[in-house]
Amino acid sequence: MKKLSAFVLCTSFLVSHAAFAQDKPTVQLLATGGTIAMKIDPEKNAPVPAISGEDLLAIVPEVGDYATIEVNNLSNVPSDYMDPPRWVGLTKAVEEALSRPEVSGVIVSHGTDTLEETAFWLDITVDSEKPIVLIGAQRNASSSDFDGPRNLLNAVRIATDEVAQNKGAMLAMNNQINAARYVTKTHTANVESFKSGDYGVLGEVYPDRVVIDRTPTRRQHIPLVTDEMPRVDIVAMYGGADGQLLRHAVDSGAKGIVVQALGMGNMNLPMFEAVQYALSKDVPVVISTRVHNGRVMANYGFEGGGQTTDAAGAIMGGDLSPQKARILLMLLLQQGKKTKDELQPAFDL
């Protein structure tokens, strides 16, 4: 009888333990590289790609308290190497993971240099209520104050928390959560580099819980219809710009142009004439700005002012940074949209 009771007790414990393990959600970590996957090479005395997703996970055993983690090592490259083909592959990997019922969310580890671009790309191309959490690190894995482990642990907590549902792609670094549309890198080295300007953070990760105060509303979904993205170039406006770079971009095959204009979307006469040249060749031109906060508008009436470029047929890029305006234009072009009437609504959202 005692043996039977002991057997029942042991069996009960195993069943309860198994049930507890099964109750933990699954989170997939998609590792792409970046500083978070680098260590100091002794010969070069500089950070180089060195660790896998599994290596990073091994540094943070606490993540097992929150979820079962699957690792998918997509690449191990500096984020400076990210490009449309890699973005297309990443979208497919995220969609595949999130389509599985047991997966509560996806984490993408990534370099910080183009992290905001990849976040915005995924926010537009992936249609899911489940969280997509992007992380990076400002300090490499050889540093005594390596920030990658904390960012990974926070990302797992976000990806398994119901409060993160239906928020789109988010960036989680330095205990802060930022929306993909607005977040940008603001400092080359500081761990509190990623900020969202006037819009502020979505929320924060505290020791006891994840707090998210709002849901991003200015979101849209543009599905991929091809693996080949059209070429879209960014051309900067600055004092004395002559417009030749813009003309060359058109003549060398660019299918769209984003002008990083000044102020509310202004430029000088040579650049304005180059914009007119592009439009005459049926190459769409989006006007953005190098100013960090605010939006471009059809406001100033001098030749090259926002009002004149708008009247000439250029698209006003709203409050999107040049790099994010490029991504949106690229995705719209791959859908076959090309005219101002077809493109402008997506930038007005």
Side-chain angles (χ1 to χ4, degrees):
M1 186 69 178
K2 287 183 180 180
K3 288 184 178 180
L4 180 60
S5 297
F7 173 77
V8 171
L9 182 62
C10 181
T11 304
S12 177
F13 170 78
L14 291 173
V15 169
S16 298
H17 183 73
F20 175 76
Q22 290 173 357
D23 284 344
K24 284 200 297 186
T26 298
V27 171
Q28 188 167 115
L29 169 63
L30 299 170
T32 68
T35 299
I36 196 170
M38 293 186 183
K39 284 187 172 182
I40 298 293
D41 180 278
E43 293 185 6
K44 297 181 179 179
N45 194 29
V48 297
I51 68 175
S52 67
E54 289 88 353
D55 295 330
L56 178 62
L57 194 62
I59 304 173
V60 201
E62 302 96 315
V63 299
D65 296 337
Y66 298 93
T68 299
I69 311 297
E70 298 178 349
V71 178
N72 183 352
N73 291 295
L74 290 181
S75 62
N76 195 346
V77 298
S79 70
D80 312 86
Y81 293 7
M82 294 302 287
D83 55 15
R86 285 190 170 95
W87 284 332
V88 170
L90 183 56
T91 290
K92 292 179 179 180
V94 171
E95 288 179 330
E96 181 179 354
L98 294 181
S99 69
R100 294 164 47 199
E102 72 274 19
V103 173
S104 68
V106 163
I107 298 168
V108 179
S109 61
H110 194 286
T112 59
D113 284 350
T114 58
L115 185 51
E116 65 202 70
E117 293 178 61
T118 298
F120 187 60
W121 170 279
L122 291 175
D123 193 57
I124 296 177
T125 60
V126 177
D127 186 19
S128 176
E129 293 184 357
K130 297 178 181 180
I132 303 167
V133 188
L134 292 97
I135 60 170
Q138 289 286 80
R139 314 273 167 79
N140 67 76
S142 296
S143 300
S144 59
D145 56 350
F146 180 35
D147 52 324
R150 176 175 61 175
N151 294 334
L152 175 59
L153 178 59
N154 286 345
V156 171
R157 293 179 59 197
I158 295 166
T160 56
D161 198 309
E162 290 185 3
V163 74
Q165 294 284 319
N166 200 31
K167 301 296 187 297
M170 296 168 282
L171 197 153
M173 290 183 65
N174 200 44
N175 295 337
Q176 297 174 332
I177 306 168
N178 283 276
R181 180 182 177 93
Y182 298 113
V183 69
T184 190
K185 187 175 181 179
T186 66
H187 197 284
T188 58
N190 198 314
V191 293
E192 191 172 339
S193 174
F194 285 91
K195 301 180 181 180
S196 295
D198 290 341
Y199 294 95
V201 299
L202 283 181
E204 294 181 281
V205 181
Y206 290 94
D208 61 331
R209 65 190 180 106
V210 175
V211 176
I212 296 181
D213 295 315
R214 58 188 176 88
T215 297
T217 57
R218 300 184 64 189
R219 298 182 58 225
Q220 56 189 308
H221 174 57
I222 302 176
L224 298 179
V225 296
T226 176
D227 288 352
E228 298 290 330
M229 291 296 113
R231 174 182 154 194
V232 176
D233 290 345
I234 300 174
V235 180
M237 169 60 204
Y238 48 86
D242 61 10
Q244 290 305 309
L245 291 175
L246 198 158
R247 292 174 185 269
H248 176 73
V250 172
D251 293 341
S252 62
K255 302 303 180 185
I257 302 289
V258 174
V259 175
Q260 181 182 292
L262 309 177
M264 287 186 176
N266 306 316
M267 62 194 72
N268 63 12
L269 187 55
M271 186 68 85
F272 175 53
E273 291 173 345
V275 168
Q276 291 177 308
Y277 175 76
L279 295 172
S280 74
K281 300 291 186 179
D282 294 324
V283 176
V285 178
V286 173
I287 309 300
S288 184
T289 179
R290 72 182 188 186
V291 181
H292 295 300
N293 295 301
R295 55 184 277 255
V296 297
M297 295 178 62
N299 188 42
Y300 286 91
F302 62 85
E303 283 193 287
Q307 190 179 98
T308 60
T309 53
D310 178 64
I315 295 100
M316 294 290 106
D319 59 3
L320 288 177
S321 65
Q323 57 270 28
K324 292 179 182 178
R326 171 182 175 260
I327 286 171
L328 180 54
L329 178 57
M330 189 187 305
L331 289 168
L332 292 167
L333 290 175
Q334 61 95 35
Q335 282 196 321
K337 296 178 180 179
K338 196 171 181 180
T339 68
K340 181 177 173 104
D341 287 344
E342 293 172 323
L343 297 170
Q344 187 64 67
F347 287 88
D348 287 342
L349 183 70

